[in-house]
């Protein structure tokens, strides 16, 4: 993706001592994000204002699979239509993810509820911070603990998948506003 606004910035944080990112949703979410043995933080600038970016993320990434998966996830349980709270989806491989808490335009917190993904803990926090220029910085933090001997594979899968979701979200936002380069 040629434009710098399509590039995903990645920070890997392996220690709970790093603390929560500035502006994190709540102290409880920050604690949840420090419970895993590994943490991955990715950021992406998206050319949509906060609530519109949140709505696109919920529809395009969470529900439709963000153009990454070979087939879209299936909704197992409908959640709140505005925030997505309570939504449970099954992604290929029968992994189920659930939105635990959310505030429209601000954040979504989710976890892997069940399935054969090789982790003992997986929690994600997606934060949306409008920058005042009709754009939003999306920060996706994932805290996870891989099963024994699965660390590199899990890290690679999570990093690639979340990075692709964010990049595709930015591209979809440009398409939806007619600002294609």
């Amino acid at each position: 993706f040629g434009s710098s606004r399509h590039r995903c910035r990645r920070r890997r944080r392996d220690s709970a001592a790093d603390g929560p990112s500035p502006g994190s949703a709540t102290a409880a979410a920050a604690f949840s994000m420090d419970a895993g043995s590994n943490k991955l933080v990715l950021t992406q600038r998206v050319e949509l204002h906060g609530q519109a970016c949140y709505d696109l993320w919920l529809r395009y990434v969470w529900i439709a699979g963000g153009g990454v998966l070979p087939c879209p996830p299936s909704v197992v349980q409908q959640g709140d239509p505005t925030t997505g709270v309570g939504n449970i989806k099954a992604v290929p491989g029968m992994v189920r993810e659930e939105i635990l808490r959310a505030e429209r335009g601000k954040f979504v917190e989710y976890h892997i509820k069940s399935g054969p993904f090789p982790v003992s803990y997986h929690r994600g926090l997606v934060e949306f911070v409008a920058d005042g220029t009709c754009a939003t910085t999306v920060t996706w933090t994932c805290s996870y603990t891989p099963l024994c001997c699965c660390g590199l594979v899990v890290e690679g899968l999570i990093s690639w998948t979340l990075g692709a979701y964010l990049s595709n979200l930015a591209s979809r936002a440009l398409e939806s506003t007619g600002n294609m380069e």
Side-chain angles (χ1 to χ4, degrees), residues 11-143:
R11 290 190 324 250
R12 184 168 182 237
R13 299 194 304 181
D14 290 323
S15 169
D18 291 329
S21 62
S24 287
T26 66
F31 175 77
S32 296
M33 296 315 300
D34 288 333
S37 63
N38 294 336
K39 184 183 288 186
L40 182 67
V41 180
L42 296 93
T43 60
Q44 177 73 55
R45 179 182 164 89
V46 178
E47 300 295 326
L48 283 176
H49 195 266
Q51 288 188 350
C53 183
Y54 181 98
D55 294 343
L56 181 62
W57 180 90
L58 190 60
R59 282 189 328 270
Y60 178 64
V61 174
W62 182 265
I63 294 173
V68 172
L69 305 171
C71 56
S74 60
V75 175
V76 175
Q77 175 179 308
Q78 291 289 336
D80 180 272
T82 303
T83 64
V85 171
N87 182 286
I88 300 173
K89 68 177 183 173
V91 298
M94 295 310 300
V95 173
R96 292 183 180 210
E97 297 178 326
E98 175 183 25
I99 296 178
L100 300 170
R101 298 178 327 107
E103 185 177 335
R104 184 172 180 243
K106 304 223 184 230
F107 74 95
V108 172
E109 183 179 358
Y110 71 95
H111 73 137
I112 290 183
K113 183 176 178 67
S114 64
F117 197 66
V119 295
S120 61
Y121 181 85
H122 182 283
R123 178 91 37 138
L125 179 66
V126 184
E127 297 173 282
F128 303 84
V129 179
D131 69 5
T133 65
C134 293
T136 300
T137 298
V138 180
T139 301
W140 199 321
T141 305
C142 181
S143 176

